[in-house]
Amino acid sequence: MKTTTRVCVIGGGVVGCSVLYHLTKLGWSDVMLLERSELTSGSTWHAAGGFHTMNSDTNMAALQGYTIGLYKELEEITGMSCGLHHVGGITLAETPERFDMLKAERAKHRYMGLDTAILTPAEIADMAELVNLDGIIGGLYDPLDGHLDPSGTTHAYARAAKLAGAEIELHCKVEDLQPRPDGSWDVITNKGTIHAEHVVNAAGLWAREVGAMAGVYLPLLPMAHQYLVTDDLPEIMNRETEFPHVLDCAGESYFRQEGRGLCIGFYEQPCEPWALSGTPWEFGHELLPDNLEKVSDSIEMAYHRFPVLERAGVKRVIHGPFTFAPDGNPLVGPVPGLRNYWSACAVMAGFSQGGGVGLTLAQWMIEGEPERDVTGLDVARYGKWITPGYTVPKVIEFYQKRFSVSYPNEERPAARPHRTTAMYDIFNEMGAVWGHQFGLEVPNYFAQGDEPTFETPSFTRSNAFEATGREVRAVRESVGINEIQNFGKFRVTGPKARDWLDRIMAGRIPKEGKLTLTPMLSPKGRIIGDFTISCMGPESYALTASYGAQSMHLRWFEQHGEDGVTIENVSDRLTGFQLAGPRSRDVLQACTPSNVAALPFLGVAQMVVGQIACTVQRVSYTGDLGYEIYCDHMDQRALWHTLWTAGQAHNITPFGMRAMMSLRLDRFFGSWLREFSPDYTPAETGLDRFISFKKNSDFIGRAHAESERATPPNRQLVAFLVDADNADVHGYEPVWINGEVVGFCTSGGYSHHARQSVALALIPRDYAQDSQEAEIEILSQMRPARLTTTPLFDPEGTALRA
């Protein structure tokens, strides 16, 4: 066994072997993998081995598509069989709501290049005659669905990696990890110590323990999962072709052919968390004791949907653990707070996602960034606030809802409230209906009178529609107030702070008393942040961006830190409120002796508001006259009472995120992870207008930004007015022009101010002309749309700058 290596991958399951292979594929051969037992000695060996492309996160779906396409490549490289069975898969819909979800997924697949199809019950019967279609109204067919041999596939990854120079050491248990000052690691094993430049935690069931060796908590939990394999059945033996996969979400089960019998697995409601206090090191090739009682209801539903099971004997029961993160997505990437320590764990669908996870991590490590937006699986999407007490109920919730309809406006309740501000009880008394972001409770809207106190999940306009409209009108006609806790906030200070910001940010760094808007770019010129920068003094700057991205942004800042610059995450130390609307200046002026009218648009000033020392910024995401008022979190309630009391003369109204998302559409303002994400560049989205090409700084991503300035990209972000029915654009709906899919929507919704459905979309630049006609596919309906370049509110910006 060698004692030094560039990368040490810990864990010999399908994910670890995929990471090892992809590191060699991208050019690093000095890599090794350590496995405490034999390859597949964890969740991999007892996996059902199914794979599919469907995922509500389009980037995850793309990674799953990559994974499935990779298997034939592995077979060609190694000469080994992965045991591929591309039999196709059918997802059944028993309710209009689930059918809406499948139609929305089919629409996404159009621009992704996936050849899926909506099926009628008759078409399902032709393809899967063993299904009882009682109550089924349709389905979605994906020809790429199938299954494989888990052991053979894992060994094919391993073989391909070894052919490219990687080393695999079996029966080598990692016992400790010790960081060196230069960021490298001593990996201490039962066979000796290995010095590694990088460590990858792909330890699967033992990922928590390997994380603890480095002093970090990784939020994942094993769940006990059970599936059955039947004896041979004549209905299967006599078929000319292999039976397709069938997913019966309502019955909590998946169903496919296994040999000459059937395999059926369950996501049962009385589910079973496993190894809550840690996975035993001696566990490996064992199974858990059979527990058919916990799946008895699921079995009964399965017998109804697949009557052939009633005549089938059970050949074997497989009951074993595999891991989940709180939202079901993997935990991938550089772990915040550690140098050269990488996560590739909580991959609950290893044979659908393992290839994409390996590719993503290898690109991140070798090339500096993945090729697509991987926010949905970034390990930094959870902050230091997360604990096992939060992880356990969220994982249980995800497992129980694994086959539930996934709605765009759904707010799942487990482990909530977790983090709240000082306003929580006050807002509760005012009728707040809550959403959450990065563990924080955020008001979605405020129910008044007989307005609903629960927003019903829906693909169409929800029962919060009227309440949202009321809040929007209050902002546009008088003044609204909302909390601004849900901004990520950073303080950058020091003698080199300005020079550092000039390098990190693509936009202009403001002078004292001013603020600017700027994108933050990756080396390849893609958007990794959408920031407001305020200059508070000669060596002091305040930065605000997405609250949910704060750990990702802090990781980036620390990776690019330098002497003479201090960076602090003050997201939860600073809080406050936004005032927005034509009467917002009157309310603020009534609370302070400062001359509010003297504060110009994009100005910053220190003011005493009531009794509270505040920072006031003249900017508003609503597109109206507005102010962001920041204070210490201990002063928030006092500031609220001051502003609320003064606002009574102007009918001040609290508003939430539902209204905010409607208001921003009036000015076609983009939103983080919708219009602005690592999938897009500034020139595509219009953020290039905030880039300072004149500044004397080689800011990160400049070369790519300059290239797109000289040669504009093929696609451009535009706004459409949509002739919608009762459903608006949420995101990723295809845009049709001249009978062809030419682009897709990034987000949309209903402008309550203009009483108009709006969609923001990326389409070819050649079509980005005012009044261009198009159609947008919403829930399988082709809705007429017309491109517009004129904002729906204050098109000249006079109110914003008044």
Side-chain angles (χ1 to χ4, degrees):
M1 181 180 77
K2 62 183 181 180
T3 57
T4 62
T5 186
R6 192 170 198 176
V7 183
C8 179
V9 180
I10 302 171
V14 65
V15 174
C17 291
S18 171
V19 170
L20 193 72
Y21 164 68
H22 281 93
L23 289 170
T24 64
K25 184 177 182 179
L26 270 61
W28 284 11
S29 58
D30 180 19
V31 296
M32 68 186 303
L33 181 147
L34 307 181
E35 166 53 47
R36 54 180 268 287
S37 181
E38 300 285 346
L39 297 182
T40 77
S41 298
S43 297
T44 298
W45 80 270
H46 61 71
F51 54 78
H52 58 275
T53 58
M54 193 168 81
N55 193 298
S56 58
D57 182 326
T58 54
N59 282 303
M60 284 302 303
L63 289 175
Q64 290 173 196
Y66 166 81
T67 300
I68 295 168
L70 180 64
Y71 292 133
K72 289 185 179 179
E73 177 183 322
L74 287 175
E75 291 182 330
E76 293 171 359
I77 292 171
T78 64
M80 300 173 66
S81 172
C82 293
L84 290 175
H85 296 257
H86 278 289
V87 298
I90 302 169
T91 302
L92 303 176
E94 81 294 348
T95 65
E97 291 78 14
R98 193 178 304 278
F99 204 32
D100 280 347
M101 183 184 81
L102 297 183
K103 289 185 286 188
E105 290 301 308
R106 171 65 188 109
K108 294 178 187 178
H109 296 163
R110 291 194 194 278
Y111 71 85
M112 294 175 65
L114 296 175
D115 188 24
T116 57
I118 294 293
L119 301 181
T120 65
E123 290 170 322
I124 296 172
D126 288 341
M127 299 176 68
E129 70 284 353
L130 299 181
V131 178
N132 174 10
L133 294 173
D134 180 33
I136 299 300
I137 60 177
L140 178 71
Y141 176 70
D142 186 346
L144 291 180
D145 280 15
H147 57 276
L148 46 64
D149 171 19
S151 179
T153 300
T154 303
H155 281 87
Y157 274 121
R159 175 66 175 160
K162 290 172 73 174
L163 288 172
E167 180 175 316
I168 295 177
E169 190 71 23
L170 301 180
H171 302 285
C172 186
K173 179 186 175 185
V174 175
E175 296 178 338
D176 198 11
L177 296 169
Q178 296 181 356
R180 291 190 179 188
D182 65 355
S184 63
W185 292 84
D186 285 331
V187 182
I188 301 170
T189 79
N190 61 331
K191 292 186 175 182
T193 298
I194 301 162
H195 178 220
E197 182 181 346
H198 299 271
V199 169
V200 178
N201 182 349
L205 291 172
W206 296 269
R208 291 173 296 176
E209 287 70 30
V210 173
M213 292 177 187
V216 297
Y217 168 66
L218 294 172
L220 58 90
L221 176 70
M223 297 291 291
H225 182 67
Q226 198 161 207
Y227 65 93
L228 316 176
V229 177
T230 75
D231 290 329
D232 295 351
L233 287 165
E235 291 88 346
I236 296 297
M237 296 167 59
N238 296 331
R239 262 185 140 258
E240 294 183 1
T241 59
E242 191 168 352
F243 199 83
H245 286 204
V246 178
L247 184 62
D248 179 27
C249 299
E252 304 167 353
S253 61
Y254 56 88
F255 176 93
R256 68 167 174 83
Q257 183 171 334
E258 173 75 11
R260 296 190 297 180
L262 294 170
C263 168
I264 183 163
F266 310 98
Y267 279 86
E268 70 286 354
Q269 293 303 301
C271 56
E272 182 183 354
W274 184 77
L276 288 167
S277 59
T279 302
W281 285 108
E282 64 274 12
F283 186 83
H285 281 281
E286 302 88 348
L287 287 173
L288 305 178
D290 296 351
N291 185 0
L292 296 180
E293 182 178 348
K294 74 170 181 175
V295 296
S296 59
D297 289 343
S298 298
I299 290 175
E300 183 178 345
M301 289 187 285
Y303 279 12
H304 170 72
R305 187 60 64 203
F306 310 108
V308 67
L309 292 172
E310 296 179 1
R311 304 189 301 277
V314 176
K315 181 185 295 185
R316 64 183 184 272
V317 178
I318 295 87
H319 190 202
F322 64 122
T323 58
F324 294 80
D327 61 2
N329 276 352
L331 300 170
V332 181
V335 175
L338 298 177
R339 293 172 63 188
N340 298 337
Y341 184 96
W342 303 74
S343 176
C345 57
V347 187
M348 64 94 178
F351 294 98
S352 291
Q353 301 172 345
V357 166
L359 175 67
T360 295
L361 191 135
Q363 289 177 332
W364 213 331
M365 188 178 292
I366 296 172
E367 300 174 1
E369 59 183 293
E371 67 183 73
R372 66 181 78 248
D373 176 17
V374 293
T375 301
L377 58 153
D378 191 334
V379 65
R381 70 185 184 274
Y382 297 107
K384 293 180 179 179
W385 51 268
I386 198 165
T387 66
Y390 178 91
T391 299
V392 171
K394 291 305 287 187
V395 167
I396 292 172
E397 178 184 58
F398 175 83
Y399 188 97
Q400 291 174 328
K401 292 184 175 292
R402 176 81 169 87
F403 287 166
S404 296
V405 178
S406 180
Y407 296 96
N409 66 326
E410 185 176 16
E411 297 285 354
R412 294 184 173 178
R416 295 178 54 202
H418 183 68
R419 309 186 80 216
T420 62
T421 71
M423 292 301 299
Y424 186 73
D425 61 332
I426 293 176
F427 283 166
N428 257 340
E429 292 175 2
M430 299 180 74
V433 179
W434 297 94
H436 70 292
Q437 182 185 25
F438 202 62
L440 175 72
E441 295 297 311
V442 179
N444 279 338
Y445 67 96
F446 293 82
Q448 305 294 310
D450 59 357
E451 292 171 349
T453 57
F454 172 77
E455 183 179 10
T456 303
S458 175
F459 288 96
T460 58
R461 292 170 186 164
S462 79
N463 59 341
F465 185 80
E466 296 299 332
T468 300
R470 174 182 53 76
E471 293 178 5
V472 166
R473 289 187 292 275
V475 172
R476 288 287 182 244
E477 296 170 6
S478 184
V479 58
I481 184 170
N482 77 334
E483 195 174 28
I484 53 174
Q485 170 69 22
N486 60 323
F487 285 159
K489 312 173 197 76
F490 300 91
R491 182 176 292 143
V492 179
T493 57
K496 294 185 178 180
R498 187 178 189 88
D499 291 340
W500 181 81
L501 285 169
D502 252 330
R503 179 171 64 89
I504 295 295
M505 301 292 175
R508 182 176 57 85
I509 308 306
K511 297 179 180 179
E512 187 170 349
K514 297 288 186 179
L515 66 85
T516 55
L517 309 178
T518 174
M520 184 169 72
L521 306 183
S522 75
K524 295 181 180 179
R526 291 185 289 179
I527 304 166
I528 58 173
D530 172 27
F531 279 83
T532 298
I533 302 179
S534 305
C535 183
M536 315 306 293
E539 298 181 359
S540 179
Y541 298 85
L543 280 59
T544 57
S546 167
Y547 187 80
Q550 62 183 270
S551 288
M552 302 174 197
H553 288 153
L554 183 61
R555 178 181 63 193
W556 183 258
F557 294 156
E558 291 176 341
Q559 288 172 347
H560 294 83
E562 61 183 58
D563 293 338
V565 181
T566 300
I567 306 152
E568 299 176 86
N569 183 356
V570 295
S571 298
D572 295 322
R573 287 158 51 189
L574 287 179
T575 187
F577 303 96
Q578 175 185 203
L579 293 175
R583 301 272 74 84
S584 57
R585 177 179 292 147
D586 298 331
V587 173
L588 182 56
Q589 187 62 77
C591 303
T592 179
S594 301
N595 183 1
V596 177
L599 184 64
F601 179 59
L602 301 183
V604 183
Q606 302 299 318
M607 297 184 186
V608 175
V609 182
Q611 303 174 27
I612 309 305
C614 298
T615 298
V616 179
Q617 300 190 160
R618 172 79 187 281
V619 66
S620 176
Y621 191 48
T622 67
D624 209 327
L625 174 66
Y627 302 87
E628 294 173 355
I629 308 165
Y630 293 91
C631 66
D632 184 276
H633 70 104
M634 293 294 289
D635 295 327
Q636 187 183 22
R637 287 172 73 103
L639 178 61
W640 164 263
H641 289 300
T642 296
L643 295 172
W644 183 250
T645 300
Q648 296 308 301
H650 303 284
N651 194 30
I652 192 170
T653 300
F655 68 103
M657 290 305 298
R658 295 284 186 258
M660 180 72 84
M661 289 296 103
S662 174
L663 289 159
R664 60 109 183 175
L665 290 174
D666 295 342
R667 293 295 307 273
F668 311 146
F669 288 167
S671 176
W672 179 245
L673 294 185
R674 293 176 174 91
E675 287 68 46
F676 308 141
S677 86
D679 277 334
Y680 314 131
T681 67
E684 289 176 325
T685 60
L687 278 184
D688 54 339
R689 68 186 184 275
F690 297 115
I691 293 179
S692 177
F693 290 104
K694 294 181 179 180
K695 70 178 183 179
N696 185 26
S697 172
D698 187 20
F699 58 82
I700 296 172
R702 179 161 193 155
H704 286 270
E706 292 277 14
S707 176
E708 289 200 328
R709 186 186 187 197
T711 306
N714 292 329
R715 62 186 183 182
Q716 179 178 335
L717 184 69
V718 298
F720 284 102
L721 304 182
V722 186
D723 182 11
D725 185 10
N726 68 334
D728 302 299
V729 159
H730 293 288
Y732 301 111
E733 294 84 353
V735 177
W736 297 72
I737 295 179
N738 299 329
E740 295 182 348
V741 175
V742 300
F744 62 94
C745 298
T746 53
S747 74
Y750 188 79
S751 164
H752 287 271
H753 166 73
R755 299 182 180 180
Q756 173 67 59
S757 187
V758 179
L760 302 182
L762 282 166
I763 65 170
R765 192 169 292 269
D766 290 345
Y767 289 118
Q769 307 296 326
D770 198 43
S771 298
Q772 169 69 54
E773 300 292 332
E775 291 181 304
I776 296 177
E777 184 178 352
I778 304 176
L779 301 181
S780 293
Q781 294 186 9
M782 306 298 285
R783 308 305 305 183
R786 178 175 56 82
L787 193 153
T788 182
T789 57
T790 303
L792 306 180
F793 170 77
D794 191 27
E796 304 299 325
T798 54
L800 193 68
R801 295 171 173 81

